[in-house]
Amino acid sequence: MTAHVPGLLFDPSFASAPGAPRARLDVPEGERWNLGDIFPSWESWREAFDALDRRVKGYVARRGTLAGGPDALLAALRESDAMGQLAYKVWYFASLAHDEDQRDNQIGARRQQVQLLFAEWRQSTAWFNPELLAMSLETLRGWMDADAGLAVYRFMIENLFRQQEHVLDEKGEHLLSLAAQLTRVPDDAYEALSTADMRFPTIELSTGEAVQVTYPRYRALLATNRVQADRARAFEAHHGAFEASLNTYAALYNGVLQRDWYQARARGYASTLEAALHGDHIPVAVVENLIASARANVGSFQRYERLRRQVLRLDTYHLYDGAIPLVDFTERYPYQQVVDWIVASVAPLGPQYQQRLAAGFANRWVDIYENDGKRSGAYSAPVYGVHPYVLMNYNDTLDAAFTLAHEMGHSMHTVLSHERQPFVYSDYTIFVAEVPSTLSEALLLDHRLAHVTDPLERIVLLQHAIDGITGTFFTQVMFADWELQAHRLVEAGEPVTADVLSALYDATLRAYHGDAIDYDPLTRVTWARIPHFFGSPYYVYQYATCYASSARLLVGLRDADAAVREQTIARYLDLLAAGGSDYPMTLLQRAGIDLADPSTVGAVATLLDTLVDQLEEALGARGLL
């Protein structure tokens, strides 16, 4: 058993609200999420924090009792669950409030208090796993067979014994728990350096407009500004802000690598990748084969980039040219209109799913627009016992529309998992998490393609579908490739400096893009602006495996046979409702998805070629080739 610390489902990659940001106090209530559903006030939060603190301090009294019988073990497990449920509310009330305006030091201090309490929690429970593992598994199985309450924990207990060789004795677990708070330092420092303390420069566009190239405005510029020189200027200014502190970013990332290698070795893993995958019972070969397959199929990726260069009539083609639409299409996508589309798009999943999704929008799950100091990007926060919360920085672009669908897919996963599973299995693994988010995007795309009448918008939508593959599959595998190589540098005892990381990124970039793009000096430093590298090591590959999984599900949902569609829907909803009640590979197999089958991953490149064929046909019909 470990302290059940909640986590985010996070997508940092999209643009934010149009116009000048507002102060948080100026944001209308209807555009803000309702944190009052968690606690009505900070006073109530403090009472819950103190209650959690007391329970954490009292838990150590259970030490030495587990072998006393099934009642003692069940009581310890249920008390751990009770602390976990309370922890979700205590953490997210402070964390979500902090993300509303990260410059508020008072709220930031409260968030840090929770982090410190979580570290104490880990220390107070460090004895549990070694004590349980000292018991006979056969004895425990007998107890679980005889006690329905204890039987709920069967998968958790069996899984713990599976991992027994990597669980230390009580003293070792205690020492690791003492270091828990330190493990967050590189990520927290990165967040402060790249967000709260970052001072992005202001550039002058060809129109004379002055724009500060913050994360959201930079992304918006790349997606909307058709003047290549403006995109180049924004790219140089934005990346230059990271280059100015590149040695600091390298030191922080070295801290991430060294931490991961220390934890892997401390638990007896052969590599950081094995350590990251073992908990979910995922073979290392899944990631290695994914990378090998992507590298072998980059031809379809590069074909699309060459098509873009041709259609955009560019003498040179750079990474900052990859988001601009191929055709002039100035349609904006207002938030409420997109909400209606998203609700309509999930009709294939049944009326109950559709109604519950609509209720989430109506009940203020979403914090919609950018404001001063607000955390960039988007995420879904699974607040157990309340409902999910979605952070957005919505800006009326097509990219933002699909990001909203993405995060609501996460949120519906949370709703079904929390509803159907006992607390111990309510938290699904990240290996499965991106299946509903990417499927939700695909359903929105299907809905728009079925209703669009403008041939130019059809081209834009086809481009978006292709960009989903290049961005969610090839780019994320490229990130995973670089990340794995960086970790292996530390495992081999090699030095990690800014130059080393930048050279590694440049080489990896060229392996995927080849001669389809032109390279700029600052592309080498892109690694420094990818939050997942610092906050969620070995996460990004799962975007690619989940994309392949959702593509397989989509085939079933589109089948002409109603029986096949109904079976696919039932399997999919069961997958969401299963939470973390079994190993992710097993859950996906039950849903009809086998990631061990190379065709599941290899079919993505085939799909990309098919879509590029369709795009070429649509562009040709408009005389654009």
Side-chain angles (χ1 to χ4, degrees):
M1 183 195 70
T2 57
H4 196 109
V5 180
L8 295 176
L9 295 163
F10 178 53
D11 178 4
S13 62
F14 83 109
S16 194
R22 299 165 291 182
R24 183 68 185 181
L25 292 176
D26 294 333
V27 178
E29 181 180 89
E31 297 176 2
R32 291 183 272 124
W33 51 28
N34 181 17
L35 298 188
D37 288 345
I38 308 177
F39 293 114
S41 65
W42 280 108
E43 289 75 18
S44 298
W45 172 84
R46 172 53 67 178
E47 291 174 2
F49 177 92
D50 291 342
L52 180 59
D53 186 33
R54 289 192 296 272
R55 300 183 89 148
V56 166
K57 287 178 169 60
Y59 197 80
V60 71
R62 299 178 183 275
R63 180 178 173 181
T65 67
L66 301 186
D71 291 343
L73 176 58
L74 181 58
L77 289 167
R78 285 179 171 171
E79 175 61 11
S80 176
D81 286 355
M83 290 192 295
Q85 293 176 52
L86 186 57
Y88 265 90
K89 296 179 181 180
V90 170
W91 166 252
Y92 275 121
F93 191 78
S95 183
L96 298 178
H98 174 66
D99 287 349
E100 293 174 353
D101 186 349
Q102 294 187 335
R103 303 168 303 175
D104 190 322
N105 289 332
Q106 183 178 15
I107 294 177
R110 290 168 177 160
R111 180 174 175 269
Q112 288 183 16
Q113 283 183 298
V114 184
Q115 291 176 318
L116 291 170
L117 178 57
F118 283 177
E120 183 180 348
W121 183 9
R122 294 185 184 95
Q123 294 168 31
S124 73
T125 59
W127 57 270
F128 184 95
N129 287 356
E131 185 171 319
L132 186 65
L133 289 170
M135 299 172 61
S136 163
L137 179 58
E138 291 308 311
T139 296
L140 292 171
R141 284 172 174 160
W143 290 0
M144 290 186 287
D145 289 341
D147 188 321
L150 200 56
V152 169
Y153 298 89
R154 184 181 300 275
F155 175 69
M156 184 273 282
I157 291 173
E158 296 270 6
N159 188 35
L160 179 61
F161 273 82
R162 178 185 67 84
Q163 301 180 67
Q164 184 171 12
E165 64 180 304
H166 300 292
V167 177
L168 308 184
D169 60 19
E170 183 177 341
K171 182 177 180 180
E173 289 294 328
H174 179 68
L175 285 173
L176 286 181
S177 73
L178 292 176
Q181 187 62 18
L182 296 175
T183 65
R184 293 289 307 168
V185 171
D187 181 35
D188 288 345
Y190 174 81
E191 186 173 307
L193 182 64
S194 63
T195 303
D197 291 342
M198 175 62 83
R199 298 295 179 266
F200 287 107
T202 297
I203 63 171
E204 183 177 326
L205 302 179
S206 57
T207 59
E209 178 187 3
V211 177
Q212 187 182 23
V213 287
T214 61
Y215 282 100
R217 290 176 193 163
Y218 170 66
R219 294 292 299 170
L221 267 172
L222 296 195
T224 61
N225 192 307
R226 301 198 69 83
V227 179
Q228 187 185 40
D230 285 345
R231 298 195 300 271
R233 192 173 296 114
F235 173 86
E236 291 168 1
H238 183 80
H239 284 68
F242 288 91
E243 185 186 39
S245 301
L246 198 62
N247 290 318
T248 303
Y249 286 112
L252 292 175
Y253 192 60
N254 187 37
V256 171
L257 300 175
Q258 297 292 350
R259 175 203 66 199
D260 292 351
W261 186 218
Y262 155 72
Q263 292 178 329
R265 284 181 295 175
R267 294 197 176 278
Y269 292 104
S271 69
T272 54
L273 180 61
E274 181 187 346
L277 301 184
H278 188 260
D280 286 334
H281 202 35
I282 297 169
V284 169
V286 168
V287 175
E288 294 175 335
N289 292 340
L290 174 70
I291 291 171
S293 177
R295 282 182 173 248
N297 287 283
V298 293
S300 56
F301 181 24
Q302 295 172 13
R303 175 193 171 200
Y304 174 57
E305 291 183 312
R306 294 188 182 98
L307 175 64
R308 287 185 54 80
R309 182 198 294 253
Q310 179 184 356
V311 175
L312 293 172
R313 306 292 194 267
L314 295 175
D315 294 330
T316 60
Y317 183 81
H318 305 258
L319 286 181
Y320 50 75
D321 298 319
I324 199 72
L326 293 174
V327 295
D328 285 316
F329 188 75
T330 57
E331 183 77 12
R332 307 298 290 177
Y333 296 87
Y335 178 79
Q336 190 54 54
Q337 180 184 60
V338 170
V339 167
D340 294 341
W341 288 345
I342 292 172
V343 172
S345 74
V346 300
L349 299 179
Q352 185 178 23
Y353 185 101
Q354 192 174 33
Q355 291 162 10
R356 300 186 75 171
L357 178 66
F361 285 117
N363 292 326
R364 291 176 56 198
W365 290 4
V366 186
D367 202 81
I368 304 171
Y369 299 112
E370 180 185 13
N371 59 254
D372 288 332
K374 183 177 176 180
R375 178 171 176 164
S376 63
Y379 62 66
S380 174
V383 186
Y384 190 87
V386 185
H387 57 70
Y389 283 84
V390 174
L391 180 137
M392 291 286 295
N393 285 277
Y394 196 83
N395 68 345
D396 289 358
T397 64
L398 187 66
D399 186 44
F402 278 91
T403 298
L404 181 60
H406 180 106
E407 299 304 338
M408 291 304 289
H410 283 314
S411 296
M412 289 302 296
H413 193 181
T414 293
V415 168
L416 295 178
S417 177
H418 286 191
E419 182 178 85
R420 290 269 295 274
Q421 294 300 320
F423 178 76
V424 66
Y425 305 129
S426 62
D427 186 17
Y428 42 85
T429 71
I430 57 177
F431 192 79
V432 176
E434 298 303 338
V435 175
S437 57
T438 52
L439 182 65
S440 294
E441 290 192 63
L443 291 173
L444 178 59
L445 177 68
D446 278 358
H447 177 268
R448 293 311 306 139
L449 285 173
H451 292 85
V452 67
T453 57
D454 188 330
L456 289 180
E457 186 172 7
R458 181 172 296 278
I459 291 173
V460 170
L461 289 168
L462 283 169
Q463 177 190 332
H464 182 87
I466 294 169
D467 289 344
I469 297 177
T470 59
T472 307
F473 185 79
F474 284 102
T475 298
Q476 298 301 329
V477 176
M478 183 187 74
F479 287 163
D481 194 340
W482 178 85
E483 184 178 42
L484 179 57
Q485 292 180 72
H487 277 83
R488 285 176 170 171
L489 285 175
V490 168
E491 292 168 13
E494 298 292 331
V496 176
T497 65
D499 287 344
V500 168
L501 293 172
S502 297
L504 185 65
Y505 193 86
D506 182 66
T508 308
L509 195 71
R510 291 174 187 271
Y512 284 78
H513 292 272
D515 61 1
I517 68 169
D518 295 283
Y519 295 88
D520 302 274
L522 284 174
T523 59
R524 298 164 58 88
V525 310
T526 301
W527 59 269
R529 64 174 300 277
I530 308 298
H532 274 129
F533 291 156
F534 295 83
S536 305
Y538 290 122
Y539 182 107
V540 292
Y541 82 92
Q542 292 165 107
Y543 283 113
T545 53
C546 287
Y547 188 92
S549 300
S550 63
R552 179 60 60 91
L553 286 166
L554 201 59
V555 171
L557 293 176
R558 291 169 172 168
D559 198 283
D561 188 333
V564 173
R565 294 198 303 273
E566 290 300 319
Q567 184 182 53
T568 301
I569 293 169
R571 285 178 170 180
Y572 174 64
L573 295 180
D574 284 346
L575 171 66
L576 302 193
S581 60
D582 209 329
Y583 300 119
M585 294 282 282
T586 302
L587 295 177
L588 290 172
Q589 286 169 351
R590 290 176 191 164
I593 303 158
D594 184 5
L595 287 172
D597 182 352
S599 67
T600 301
V601 174
V604 176
T606 301
L607 174 61
L608 176 56
D609 269 326
T610 300
L611 288 171
V612 173
D613 287 341
Q614 295 175 9
L615 180 60
E616 285 182 338
E617 180 180 354
L619 290 166
R622 299 287 300 181
L624 297 173
L625 285 180

